[in-house]
Amino acid sequence: MTPWMRRLLALTRRRRLDRELGEELAAHVETRARQLAADKGLPIDEARRRARILLGNVTRLREESRDQWGFPRLESVVQDLRYGARQLRRTPIFTAAATFTLALTIGSTAALFAIVNAVVLRPLPYRDSERIMSITIESEGRNVGRMDAPTAALAIQAGTRSFDSVAAYESTGGNLTGGEQPERVSGALVSAAFLDVMGVTPALGRSFEADEITPGGPAVIVLSHALWLRTFGAPADLGERMVRIDDVSYRVIGVLPAGFRFPGRAEYWRPWVPRRLGPGAVYYTDFVGRLRPGVSPAAARDELYALRAAHEADLPARARRSSIVIVSLHESLRGALRNPLVLLFGTVGCVLLIACANIANLLLARAAERQREMAVRTALGADRGRLVRQLLMESALLAVTGAVPGLLLAEGSLRVFKAIGPANVSRLPGIEIDGAVLLFTLVVTFGAAALFGIAPAFAAGRVDPQGALKEAARMSPGRSHPKRLLVVLELAAAVVLTIGAALLAKSFLRYSAVDRGYDSTRVLLVSVPLPRPRYADPAARVDFSQRTLERLRALPAVASATHSGGLPSSIAMTVSVPARLTTSGKADEGETFAVTYVGPDFFKTFGIPLAAGAECPDTGDAPLAVVSGSLARLFFSDRSAVGETIEVAGEGPHTIVGVAANVRAMGSNALGWPLVYVCDGHRSPPVSGYVVIRVREGVDPTSMIPALRDAIHAVDPSLPLVNPRPLSAAVGEAITTRWFDAALIAAFAAVAIVLAVVGLYALVAYLVAQRTREIGVRMALGATRTDVVRLVLRQGSMVTALGVGLGMAAALPLVRYVRAMLFEVEPLDTGMFAAAAVVLAGTAIIATAVPAWRAMHVDPIIALRSE
Amino acid sequence: MGKTSTVRQDLLPGTLDMLILKSLTRGVMHGYGIADHIRKLSEEVLHVEEGTLYPALQRLQIQGWIDSEWGHSVNNRRARYYRLTRAGRKQLGEAETNFGRLIQAIARVMKPAT
C-alpha cells in the first residue's frame, strides 16, 4: 500500500482516528501525571493538571495530526471553491451578468479559433505539404495566378535542381456515362510527376508513364477512390476496366487513396499534354513543385529565371517578360482568406479583453466591500497567500461558469456558420470543436480569470486588519486610478473596432453599388456541356445553338437569348490568348489581352451597353469581334475602333463590329482586362459553355428554369443541364462574403461599445457614490446643482476624452491591416474616424449623464449623515 | 549536562523521524515511551514535545514505516503501541547513512585549521 492509498483510507476513518488520538493523548497525560507524582511527590490531581499544561496546544496538535488523514491541500482547494461558489450566489445579478458576458465572448473566441485553425493554421493534408510550392507569374503588375504553359513545359522537360519534382495541372470536368445515370464529374489534366509533387501514391495501379503524356497517346485515366467505389464497387484489383467520359473510353490504370481530391473536387486525372498554339500565343496552367529540402523559394525562383534565360529562343516574348512568384500551395489556396479571418479573430479577442476589464472593475469595487471579511479572516490566522488564492479560485470559478455555456454557444454558431456562411470558407473541412479548440478555450478561460482576478485578489490581500475592523460600516475607498485606466483602455478598444466596422460597412456599400457594366437582374443561365462524339463536329454545335436559341426566343417571357463560353469578364482568366493588332493600330507583342467567345445577342442578354457599333450578327462566316472600351481606347484612342482589324493569335484577323462598355470581374469587382469578344457565329459554340436568357420585365428568372430545360431537351433530350441559376445568384455570392465580414465585425463592434459604455457608467456611478459625502458638504457650503453636475461630468469627460483620443491614435497604425479587404475606400478615412469618435463620445456622454443627474438630486443632509 | 533542546520544527524533520524509528528498534513502545526513551538516551538534551511527536507518529504511519495497535499498558490502561515495519527498518538504514554523511561533512568544515 502506498502512502497515498493510506491517506485515502484514513480519509474514510477520520472520526475513528480522531477518537483514538484523543484516547491516546489522555493515556499520555495520565502516564505523565503518574510520573510527575512519583518524581516530585505531587498529589495526583496536581500532577494531572501539570501534565495537561505540559501537553501544550492540543488543538494544534490534533489539527496537524488530522492533516495526515486525507489530502489537506486538495481539501483546502475544494473548500475555497465551495466558498467561492457561495459568494457568487450571494450576488446573483453580478454573477449572471458576468457569466453572460463571458459566455458570449469566450464562445465567440472559441468559434473563431476553430475556423482559423481549420482554414489558416492547419497544414494541407498532403505529405510534407509545406514544401509544395505554387509557381505563378505576374505580368504587367497583375497577378496572373498561374504559370504560362511554355515555361511550365520547359521546366518539366528540362528538370530542375531546386525541386524534387514539378507538375502542371488544369481543372476540367466531363460527363461520366455508363453508370445508372450520366453524371457530371470534376477532374484534372495533370503532368507525369503530379502525384510525386502532391506526395500521393496510388492505392491501386500506377500513375502515368512518359509515353502516355504525348498528344495522341493511349487513353488512360486515374480515378479517385470515391469514383472507383461508385462505379465499380471497389473490387480488390484493377482488372481491365474502362470508363466513358464525354463519350470517350479511358482505361483505368490507377486508383488514388480515399480522401485525395486535389485540385478542387477532382475525381479523375488524365494526362496533361501542352497545347500547341500559334506563334506568340500563350495560355496558362496551374503549376506546382515540391521543393527540395534545404532549398529556399528564392533560390528556386532564380533557377527558373536562369532556365528561362537559357532557353530564350524557345519561349514566346510574353513568357520571357513576366516575373515569377513562388509561394507555398497553402498560401495560394488559403492566403486570401487569412486577412479577414485574422481580423475577425482580433476583433473578438478585443471584445473579450473589454469584457475582462469590466469584470475586473466590478470585482475591484466588490473587493472594497469585502474588506471586513478579509480583515476578520486575517485576524483569525489566515495568511495572505491563502486569501489571494481563494479569491483567484473565485475568479477561476466565474470564468469556467462562463466558459461552459460559451462552448455550447460556439458549437451552435459553428453549425450555423457551416450552413449559411460564405461557401469558400464554410465548406472547408475540419471546422469543428476539436482538441486544439478545447485546449485553446481552456487557456483563454484561465487567462481571462487571471486578467480580471489578479488585481482584486491582491487588493484584498493587502488589507490591514486593524484599520478595516475599526472603520465599522464605512467603506474605505480604494484607489480609483486602476479603474479609470481600465475604462480608458476599454473605450479606446471600442473606438478602434468601431472605426474598422465603419470602414468595412462603407466598403460593402461601395462594392454593391458599383456599376459592374452588366445588368444581372433578369438573367438566367445554365451550363450545357456538349459531349463528343456527337458534338465533335462544329456544324453539329452550330446546329444545336441555332435551334435552341430559336426556341428560346420564341418564348414570350424571353427578351433575348445567347450562348457564351463564359460569364462577363470572369472568362478572361481561363484561356488567355493574346491578341495582336495589325498595321491599323499599335502593334506590340508585349500587351496582354483576354479573349472570349460570344454568340449573337450576347451583349443584349447580359445587359452590357454598346458604346459604338453593333452586336455580333446571327449568322455569317466572316471573322468578327467586339472589343471592350478599354481596348478600344488603348489602341484607337483618336478614332472609332469599328471597322478596324484585330488579329487574334492562332485565329487570324477579325473585323471589329462594335465597342462594348467595360465590365468588372465578378468576384472582386476589379476592372477587367482589355477584352476581345470574338463572334463565334463562324466558329462554333465551345464544347462546354452557357446558354443564357434574359427575361422580360416582371418575370422572375428562376421561374423560367423549366422552360429553359424544355427548350434544350426538345433539341437534344440527352444533354445534362448543369446548375441552372439566375446570374444574380452568382454575383450575389461575392457580395455575401463581404456582407458577412462587415456584418460580423459591426456586431462585435456594437458589443464592444455596449460593454465599454457600461463600464464607463459603472465607473462614474462608483465615483459619485464615493464622493457622496463630499458632494453633500459642497452643497451645504453653497454649491449649486449645476456645479455638482459639472463636477461629475468633468470626471466622465476626462475618461471619455482620453479613451477616444487613445483609440484614434491606436487606430492610425492599425487600419492598414484592413486595407486588403476594402473596396475603393481608403483606410485613413477622416469621415469614418470622425463618425466613430462621435458615436463613442455620444454614448459616453449619456452614460455619464445618468449618474450626474442622480448626483444632482443628492440631499445634503442625508449625504452628510450617511456613512 | 548540556543545555536542553526542545525538539520542535527547527530541527530537521527527517531527524525526528529517524530518532523515532531508531527508538523503536528497541522494541514496541507507546508514544510516551518513545519520548521518554529519547530524553533518557540523549541525557536530557533532547526533549520531544507532544505537539511534534504525535503528528510525526501519524505521518510515519501514513508512510508505512511504523505500525500501531492498541494494547494494555503496565497499569492495565489502554494504550497504543507502535512497532517498526520492514519498510521502516530499511528507511532507518538509509536515514542513518545520510545523517552520518551529513555529520561528517559538517565536522570537516568545522575542523580547526592545522
Side-chain angles (χ1 to χ4, degrees):
Chain A
M1 258 222 278
T2 65
W4 190 90
M5 281 163 65
R6 283 197 197 90
R7 275 185 187 263
L8 198 58
L9 198 59
L11 190 62
T12 57
R13 290 201 197 137
R14 253 203 236 183
R15 262 214 298 253
R16 195 182 83 174
L17 289 171
D18 214 26
R19 191 170 33 87
E20 288 184 352
L21 182 63
E23 283 183 30
E24 194 174 357
L25 289 176
H28 180 108
V29 165
E30 186 62 27
T31 318
R32 202 41 143 38
R34 281 178 199 275
Q35 187 95 44
L36 281 175
D39 287 348
K40 308 222 173 125
L42 296 166
I44 191 67
D45 288 329
E46 175 63 22
R48 280 200 191 113
R49 192 182 68 86
R50 286 218 195 153
R52 215 165 279 139
I53 291 173
L54 283 168
L55 193 58
N57 185 347
V58 178
T59 315
R60 184 113 175 245
L61 190 162
R62 293 178 86 130
E63 268 184 14
E64 282 187 28
S65 302
R66 279 196 205 111
D67 275 351
Q68 304 300 323
W69 307 325
F71 307 92
R73 266 196 292 255
L74 190 62
E75 283 164 43
S76 81
V77 166
V78 170
Q79 207 178 35
D80 284 345
L81 282 176
R82 280 163 68 173
Y83 186 78
R86 224 173 26 236
Q87 290 300 100
L88 287 180
R89 266 205 300 274
R90 283 210 346 220
T91 52
I93 301 181
F94 162 75
T95 310
T99 306
F100 177 71
T101 317
L102 284 171
L104 197 66
T105 47
I106 294 183
S108 331
T109 314
L112 261 163
F113 179 79
I115 300 178
V116 168
N117 188 34
V119 173
V120 175
L121 293 177
R122 204 173 278 153
L124 295 173
Y126 314 120
R127 181 172 59 88
D128 288 332
S129 63
E130 72 279 358
R131 289 221 308 273
I132 306 180
M133 299 283 143
S134 162
I135 309 166
T136 60
I137 58 171
E138 248 176 41
S139 177
E140 289 146 34
R142 273 190 216 251
N143 185 9
V144 176
R146 304 165 106 201
M147 169 58 82
D148 60 85
T151 312
L154 177 64
I156 292 175
Q157 195 180 37
T160 57
R161 278 195 316 275
S162 319
F163 293 100
D164 276 336
S165 42
V166 290
Y169 65 90
E170 273 183 59
S171 288
T172 178
N175 269 349
L176 178 70
T177 48
E180 286 156 19
Q181 293 254 34
E183 190 187 339
R184 179 136 188 99
V185 287
S186 309
L189 305 170
V190 301
S191 65
F194 177 75
L195 292 182
D196 292 328
V197 173
M198 299 308 295
V200 179
T201 37
L204 281 177
R206 60 176 177 81
S207 176
F208 307 114
E209 267 151 29
D211 65 338
E212 285 155 349
I213 313 269
T214 48
V220 290
I221 197 168
V222 172
L223 297 185
S224 75
H225 179 89
L227 186 56
W228 174 249
L229 191 64
R230 274 209 312 278
T231 318
F232 299 112
D237 69 279
L238 220 42
E240 277 291 321
R241 295 201 162 80
M242 317 281 281
V243 290
R244 272 183 93 74
I245 296 188
D246 285 344
D247 278 341
V248 177
S249 274
Y250 298 92
R251 188 163 62 88
V252 179
I253 58 162
V255 178
L256 294 187
F260 184 81
R261 299 275 292 260
F262 184 78
R265 295 151 90 107
E267 301 218 63
Y268 69 84
W269 294 267
R270 280 176 38 222
W272 178 81
V273 180
R275 296 208 277 282
R276 283 261 146 266
L277 295 172
V282 171
Y283 80 101
Y284 299 92
T285 176
D286 288 302
F287 192 49
V288 286
R290 181 173 279 269
L291 206 58
R292 205 156 265 173
V295 179
S296 73
R301 205 180 55 201
D302 291 338
E303 188 187 352
L304 285 175
Y305 278 131
L307 186 68
R308 219 160 61 165
H311 289 86
E312 223 179 85
D314 299 333
L315 296 172
R318 176 162 305 99
R320 278 181 256 143
R321 247 193 299 239
S322 49
S323 30
I324 297 180
V325 177
I326 297 187
V327 295
S328 75
L329 186 63
H330 185 266
E331 170 70 27
S332 88
L333 290 178
R334 305 277 174 88
L337 298 172
R338 191 184 29 232
N339 260 5
L341 277 179
V342 169
L343 188 72
L344 262 175
F345 189 69
T347 306
V348 168
C350 250
V351 175
L352 179 60
L353 287 176
I354 297 181
C356 287
N358 262 357
I359 298 180
N361 263 354
L362 282 171
L363 286 176
L364 274 173
R366 275 204 343 175
E369 287 167 37
R370 288 172 74 173
Q371 278 188 343
R372 273 203 95 202
E373 170 200 334
M374 297 298 143
V376 169
R377 289 177 73 183
T378 314
L380 284 177
D383 65 283
R384 186 172 153 205
R386 180 77 193 268
L387 288 179
V388 169
R389 196 183 74 193
Q390 194 263 311
L391 285 172
L392 284 176
M393 296 267 175
E394 247 180 72
S395 303
L397 192 62
L398 187 61
V400 170
T401 316
V404 170
L407 270 177
L408 293 175
L409 180 69
E411 169 73 34
S413 343
L414 283 180
R415 293 226 188 126
V416 169
F417 175 74
K418 281 197 274 202
I420 67 167
N424 60 340
V425 182
S426 62
R427 272 208 308 237
L428 291 172
I431 299 181
E432 63 210 358
I433 310 248
D434 61 6
V437 177
L438 283 174
L439 185 63
F440 173 79
T441 310
L442 199 71
V443 169
V444 163
T445 307
F446 285 105
L451 270 177
F452 62 68
I454 287 216
F458 278 94
R462 217 188 2 239
V463 154
D464 165 30
Q466 234 191 2
L469 286 170
K470 259 199 288 186
E471 290 287 320
R474 168 152 137 160
M475 260 171 27
S476 63
R479 299 180 58 77
S480 62
H481 286 316
K483 291 208 197 70
R484 279 189 230 230
L485 179 66
L486 281 175
V487 175
V488 165
L489 291 175
E490 287 182 44
L491 285 169
V495 166
V496 171
L497 292 184
T498 312
I499 291 178
L503 287 172
L504 281 173
K506 186 169 172 184
S507 161
F508 167 72
L509 289 174
R510 281 271 171 88
Y511 184 89
S512 358
V514 79
D515 176 16
R516 275 178 217 96
Y518 55 90
D519 175 11
S520 61
T521 50
R522 297 199 317 268
V523 178
L524 179 67
L525 52 96
V526 64
S527 190
V528 182
L530 299 174
R532 284 181 287 172
R534 189 164 198 215
Y535 290 102
D537 178 15
R541 299 207 290 271
V542 170
D543 181 61
F544 167 80
S545 165
Q546 281 181 339
R547 284 165 57 194
T548 314
L549 293 181
E550 206 180 291
R551 277 180 183 272
L552 287 170
R553 286 182 191 132
L555 294 174
V558 172
S560 66
T562 184
H563 65 257
S564 149
L567 303 175
S569 191
S570 70
I571 21 172
M573 285 297 123
T574 37
V575 176
S576 197
V577 178
R580 213 163 16 121
L581 295 178
T582 56
T583 51
S584 41
K586 294 197 315 239
D588 187 350
E589 242 207 59
E591 303 281 357
T592 308
F593 314 98
V595 174
T596 184
Y597 303 92
V598 300
D601 276 353
F602 175 88
F603 299 94
K604 186 163 148 205
T605 310
F606 277 109
I608 302 175
L610 287 169
E615 292 228 29
C616 292
D618 274 357
T619 52
D621 272 347
L624 302 169
V626 176
V627 296
S628 70
S630 48
L631 190 144
R633 200 169 27 252
L634 206 52
F635 291 95
F636 305 107
S637 47
D638 49 345
R639 57 189 185 280
S640 168
V642 182
E644 303 283 355
T645 316
I646 187 167
E647 177 158 337
V648 177
E651 313 216 355
H654 290 65
T655 311
I656 299 178
V657 293
V659 177
N662 286 326
V663 159
R664 288 181 181 257
M666 264 211 321
S668 62
N669 270 3
L671 295 169
W673 297 70
L675 197 44
V676 176
Y677 300 92
V678 173
C679 298
D680 62 7
H682 81 288
R683 288 177 88 262
S684 53
V687 164
S688 175
Y690 295 92
V691 171
V692 191
I693 59 172
R694 181 178 198 79
V695 298
R696 295 196 190 280
E697 284 273 359
V699 179
D700 173 23
T702 323
S703 67
M704 290 298 293
I705 292 180
L708 185 59
R709 184 173 286 137
D710 290 341
I712 294 179
H713 279 162
V715 176
D716 180 354
S718 77
L719 287 175
L721 266 58
V722 181
N723 202 5
R725 64 197 182 287
L727 184 61
S728 49
V731 171
E733 228 180 75
I735 295 190
T736 309
T737 314
R738 285 175 182 269
W739 179 87
F740 199 76
D741 289 335
L744 263 186
I745 299 215
F748 284 119
V751 172
I753 295 180
V754 166
L755 285 175
V757 164
V758 164
L760 177 66
Y761 167 80
L763 175 72
V764 177
Y766 172 81
L767 291 175
V768 165
Q770 274 202 327
R771 297 172 75 168
T772 313
R773 221 160 166 249
E774 178 195 334
I775 294 176
V777 170
R778 282 180 189 247
M779 289 181 85
L781 289 177
T784 62
R785 294 189 190 275
T786 335
D787 291 333
V788 171
V789 169
R790 220 195 326 234
L791 175 73
V792 176
L793 278 181
R794 197 175 51 215
Q795 297 216 300
S797 321
M798 266 290 287
V799 172
T800 309
L802 272 176
V804 172
L806 184 63
M808 307 273 265
L812 286 173
L814 290 176
V815 279
R816 85 186 139 87
Y817 290 108
V818 192
R819 181 188 287 270
M821 294 171 66
L822 296 179
F823 176 76
E824 291 183 1
V825 170
E826 268 307 301
L828 291 174
D829 185 324
T830 337
M832 295 296 114
F833 271 67
V838 163
V839 165
L840 257 305
T843 39
I845 298 287
I846 299 178
T848 318
V850 174
W853 188 84
R854 284 230 204 100
M856 217 167 71
H857 292 279
V858 163
D859 183 346
I861 303 193
I862 299 183
L864 285 169
R865 242 193 272 147
S866 80
E867 281 290 277
Chain B
M1 221 184 313
K3 187 169 160 180
T4 58
S5 269
T6 326
V7 181
R8 275 193 286 249
Q9 257 96 355
D10 31 19
L11 207 63
L12 309 164
T15 317
L16 175 61
D17 292 352
M18 189 179 67
L19 293 174
I20 296 176
L21 290 176
K22 186 71 180 179
S23 309
L24 288 177
T25 57
R26 291 295 189 90
V28 170
M29 290 183 204
H30 54 53
Y32 184 86
I34 296 174
D36 212 35
H37 176 93
I38 293 176
R39 186 174 55 80
K40 288 207 180 98
L41 240 62
S42 70
E43 296 179 12
E44 305 289 328
V45 173
L46 299 174
H47 286 244
V48 186
E49 277 200 325
E50 290 81 345
T52 325
L53 175 69
Y54 283 100
L57 288 170
Q58 292 296 325
R59 190 172 59 241
L60 292 174
Q61 280 190 85
I62 292 281
Q63 291 293 337
W65 297 333
I66 62 180
D67 238 344
S68 74
E69 62 184 1
W70 285 91
H72 287 278
S73 76
V74 189
N75 313 348
N76 231 9
R77 293 187 66 84
R78 228 169 97 83
R80 186 186 230 163
Y81 286 89
Y82 295 92
R83 68 171 181 82
L84 204 54
T85 64
R86 199 158 55 185
R89 218 172 275 275
K90 190 164 134 213
Q91 172 66 18
L92 176 60
E94 282 174 28
E96 269 183 297
T97 317
N98 288 339
F99 188 73
R101 214 177 287 149
L102 185 64
I103 292 296
Q104 278 187 357
I106 295 177
R108 274 201 295 275
V109 173
M110 299 301 291
K111 206 158 54 169
T114 41

